[in-house]
Amino acid sequence: MADQSHSHDAPTGVEGPPGRARRVLFLDQGFLKNRKGKPIHGVELFRLLLLPQLLELGVECTVWFDPSWRETVRQRLGTHPLLRIRTTPGLGGTLTNALWAVGAERAGYDTVVFGDARRGMIPAMQLCDTRRLGEESLVFAHRRPHPRLLKLTRKLDYRVLAVSEFVAERFRKVGRAVDVYYGLPNAQQFFPREESGSTQDGVIHFCLLGRLPNISKGHELAIEAYRSLDPGMRECCRLHLASFIEPTDLGIPGIVAHEWIASGDVPEFLRSMHVMLTLSSNETFSQAIVQGMLTGLPIIATPHPVFVEKLDTGGGVIVDRNAEAIGAAMARLASDAEMRRRMGHLARETALERYVWDTGRFVREHLFRGSR
């Protein structure tokens, strides 16, 4: 993966010193791990969507990757006069790759962004400060921070941008100032079917969307809830579990196990559904629930803080994390088209207002302190 180094004048709003664009160095947890043979989703997908938008705004981006990302980067990012792709030797993991990247860099960046920073990034963050690679540093916190990361951000006074109040809470408990901002950079792809909540074949389609069979996503609980429905209700309902990273045949009538759905095909899949289940026990934002909300799907969710926050305007129902409660909510929504329509409308309104990513806003308010 060759280094693509070019100079380019930035448009008004993101200019650096005369004659050059603002420069950002990205050291991202996921990009520095070996991803060979693994599907791209979640945080890494978000970043791959964000980078082209930053480039189009005139931000010069230098990004480090493990060699296993080579083909993915070629396909998704291509070339751009402001894009610099740099590759580590593939030293086995985040810690060693991140240290290599920082050691190979020179000072001169306006901002260094540590994406999805976890414990393995801490030595590189310390070295980056020692070497003074950037005028300022931004920790993009996608997960609840490890205690060592909390101490380091306080000591180095790194700015923190959290993806949810749930993530920000732990920073604030130790007196750290933290901003909260996140959303979908491809939100325009998610919109409702023409007749939201309606069904042509008399069957109500429920879906659970996540990287399966990750047990934290709650697909086993969804199966149990579907089985708890009385036989007559099961006949008019289908449960879709999407998507498994390997071919999976559950062999359960009424339950469809989908192989891995590429990110570009997710919007159309969701438009074929009527209700979304979000049952995960371990989320810090959940892109899936926002995708469902933007598609106009009513949500059945367990009382995880990131779900409760998103459904506070009535875009779904919060139920106890047990099969009986979930099954009762499924039966209720399957029987009431008007409730599905009303909740789906509220869910979409809330998502449009809160969770649509604006890269221009990110640049103005968070990426460059001096550009506000």
Side-chain angles (χ1 to χ4, degrees), residues 1-4 70 84-87:
M1 198 177 295
D3 179 17
Q4 304 159 10
R70 192 184 307 273
R84 297 183 178 188
I85 298 300
R86 294 180 177 169
T87 310

Side-chain angles (χ1 to χ4, degrees), residues 90-155:
L91 300 174
T94 301
L95 189 152
T96 47
N97 277 336
L99 283 172
W100 173 278
V102 172
E105 282 292 348
R106 299 178 182 177
Y109 292 96
D110 295 282
T111 306
V112 179
V113 177
F114 299 100
D116 195 20
R118 291 179 245 171
R119 185 169 52 180
M121 293 284 286
I122 289 176
M125 294 170 72
Q126 293 170 317
L127 181 59
C128 185
D129 180 71
T130 300
R131 301 198 64 221
R132 301 187 182 280
L133 294 185
E135 293 295 320
E136 54 184 311
S137 296
L138 175 66
V139 177
F140 206 156
H142 291 261
R143 301 171 188 266
R144 301 192 82 187
H146 188 275
R148 286 184 59 198
L149 183 63
L150 288 173
K151 292 179 181 178
L152 184 68
T153 58
R154 289 190 67 183
K155 177 182 177 182

